[in-house]
Amino acid sequence: MKILHTSDWHIGRTFHGHSTLEALAEVLAALVVQVRENDVDVVVVAGDVFDSATPAAPAYTLLTDTLVALHATGARVIVTSGNHDSAARLGFQARLLRDGIHVVTDPRTIGEPITIDDADGPVRFFGIPYLEPAIVRQYAAFQTLTDAGATGGRPLRTQAQTLSHAMGLVRAGMAEHPGRSVVIAHCFAAGVDATAGLEREIRQGGIDMVPVSVFEGADYVALGHIHGRQALTERVRYAGAPLHYSFGEQHKPRGSWLVDLSADGAVDAQWLELPVPRRLVTLTGSFDEILSAENVSAHVDDWVCAVYTDDLPQTEPMRRLREKYLFCALVQHEPLRSASVEERSYSERLRTAATDEERIDAFLAHVRNGAGATPREQELIREVLDDRALAEALV
């Protein structure tokens, strides 16, 4: 059986104030082509279909169009909810969907597989929607612990405990329904490499580390939440997001896993690259270097993050950058000069300053990260002080 593993579409997410719907539509259209060209049997979407619990109307339209296009290839589609999704909104039409499209958002169905047969027999797909411990404790299935060894018999309070318990329900389902098995989950598995400032903030919102050993017993585990592809084991993988949503992701490839599940449950996974509608690049250097003809020529059509290292802040840097880089999305000032911990404090500088010129220089160094007056500024300061002294003398 051929399975395409994708996740983290984040339909409706913006990129530094810019809509990503058009770019994502292009990428998902390419994914549909891959499904058709590779004769994929099942497409698995491992959570975070939407970026918000309350997506706008165009986000629903893109999801509907993509699911219809995937179904038209002949593939079955299984979608689970992630921590960004509203399970109720994502799954409200689940019973009305056409045959072959399955949306799993109800924790009470975790032990009930979606069975898809191929020439070698049944494959059991167990979808685990994102489980918030405080919410799922209301369900009877999560009040009777099936994996007491992992939870110690205590109420489920962490992601590790909750997913361990969920996998207990899945293993019970495996025992009741023999065959090859695929688990779909959305979590922060131990050992993954997160994108700084992206998944970590989500983790602080309730997703904590889940040991990879929790997923033992499944032939393949399709994970979502991390935006970069990662293979934790041959059988446990993240596909990552199909589109770059952060400059921290710019060097991470975009794509999906094409998993060939053999008759005996062996996994052969191949990475399928997806197109990048607009590259992301971070340009670091002086402001003049960033605006050099060479840089502009190479990156005029890219999303640009400009990190300029001049000692002093530039005037209207974003406006000036966008005159050359239409798609400059972010500008940061990170001067190379940094105040040494051994440097005297501002008050110490003032106490030792003997002239007004030295006091002004101390102030400039204090507010400009150690950069005092430049030679030209020193000339201007002297001129102003001389004019003031002359004016006072004439009074």
Side-chain angles (χ1 to χ4, degrees):
M1 180 175 288
K2 288 186 178 181
I3 303 165
L4 189 86
H5 169 197
T6 177
S7 71
D8 294 273
W9 291 0
H10 286 278
I11 304 174
R13 191 182 184 109
T14 58
F15 179 76
H16 296 279
H18 301 270
S19 172
T20 62
L21 272 178
E22 184 177 343
L24 182 59
E26 177 184 339
V27 172
L28 293 180
L31 185 143
V32 171
V33 172
Q34 290 179 343
V35 169
R36 181 180 297 108
E37 291 180 344
N38 290 280
D39 295 322
V40 170
D41 299 298
V42 184
V43 177
V44 167
V45 187
D48 278 357
V49 177
F50 294 123
D51 187 61
S52 166
T54 56
Y60 285 103
T61 301
L62 177 55
L63 175 60
T64 301
D65 291 346
T66 303
L67 292 180
V68 169
L70 287 171
H71 184 268
T73 68
R76 303 280 287 273
V77 183
I78 302 175
V79 180
T80 61
S81 53
N83 61 296
H84 274 245
D85 298 308
S86 162
R89 286 186 173 86
L90 182 62
F92 84 103
Q93 284 186 323
R95 294 184 180 181
L96 303 178
L97 292 173
R98 65 191 66 191
D99 184 45
I101 300 177
H102 309 268
V103 178
V104 182
T105 61
D106 189 346
R108 293 170 294 185
T109 66
I110 285 176
E112 304 170 11
I114 296 167
T115 300
I116 300 175
D117 295 301
D118 66 3
D120 299 312
V123 178
R124 316 293 187 180
F125 289 82
F126 293 88
I128 303 179
Y130 171 65
L131 302 175
E132 178 61 50
I135 295 177
V136 298
R137 285 200 300 266
Q138 67 180 300
Y139 301 122
F142 286 83
Q143 293 171 352
T144 303
L145 304 182
T146 59
D147 196 349
T151 65
R154 298 184 301 274
L156 302 175
R157 298 192 182 281
T158 68
Q159 274 287 300
Q161 291 175 341
T162 306
L163 264 176
S164 179
H165 179 69
M167 280 301 299
L169 299 176
V170 167
R171 292 187 188 93
M174 291 178 183
E176 186 177 350
H177 305 278
R180 292 163 291 169
S181 58
V182 175
V183 172
I184 310 159
H186 195 86
C187 67
F188 199 110
V192 300
D193 178 23
T195 302
L198 191 67
E199 298 102 343
R200 185 170 300 173
E201 65 190 27
I202 303 170
R203 178 184 167 196
Q204 290 171 346
I207 294 184
D208 55 331
M209 289 286 190
V210 176
V212 176
S213 59
V214 162
F215 299 106
E216 288 180 359
D219 290 311
Y220 184 73
V221 180
L223 295 180
H225 177 54
I226 299 300
H227 284 201
R229 74 170 181 195
Q230 296 191 48
L232 303 183
T233 71
E234 186 62 27
R235 298 179 181 273
V236 182
R237 296 171 184 265
Y238 283 98
L243 193 67
H244 290 116
Y245 290 113
S246 163
F247 282 104
E249 301 175 351
Q250 67 189 60
H251 300 301
K252 296 182 178 182
R254 304 289 87 171
S256 53
W257 289 110
L258 179 62
V259 178
D260 197 335
L261 192 64
S262 69
D264 61 357
V267 168
D268 180 18
Q270 174 188 355
W271 179 252
L272 299 182
E273 294 277 354
L274 283 170
V276 177
R278 192 177 305 284
R279 295 185 308 166
L280 278 68
V281 63
T282 298
L283 302 178
T284 303
S286 70
F287 203 77
D288 288 341
E289 289 171 344
I290 291 174
L291 289 175
S292 68
E294 180 181 1
N295 268 331
V296 172
S297 175
H299 303 293
V300 66
D301 293 321
D302 299 339
W303 286 117
V304 171
C305 170
V307 182
Y308 70 94
T309 58
D310 305 61
D311 289 338
L312 304 180
Q314 294 290 321
T315 303
E316 298 183 297
M318 181 61 84
R319 179 189 62 78
R320 293 164 60 192
L321 285 163
R322 283 186 174 168
E323 289 177 352
K324 300 292 185 180
Y325 302 102
L326 180 61
F327 303 103
C328 182
L330 185 63
V331 58
Q332 298 174 341
H333 180 215
E334 296 182 6
L336 292 176
R337 179 196 296 268
S338 59
S340 170
V341 294
E342 291 81 20
E343 276 190 359
R344 295 172 299 164
S345 67
Y346 177 48
S347 59
E348 290 172 339
R349 283 173 169 268
L350 286 180
R351 281 198 301 270
T352 58
T355 65
D356 286 342
E357 187 175 342
E358 291 177 353
R359 294 186 186 94
I360 294 171
D361 187 69
F363 172 77
L364 292 175
H366 174 64
V367 299
R368 300 198 307 200
N369 201 32
T374 65
R376 176 55 183 156
E377 288 172 339
Q378 290 173 354
E379 292 179 9
L380 293 173
I381 291 168
R382 281 193 293 269
E383 290 178 9
V384 171
L385 292 176
D386 288 346
D387 289 345
R388 190 192 68 172
L390 178 59
E392 291 176 348
L394 297 175
V395 173

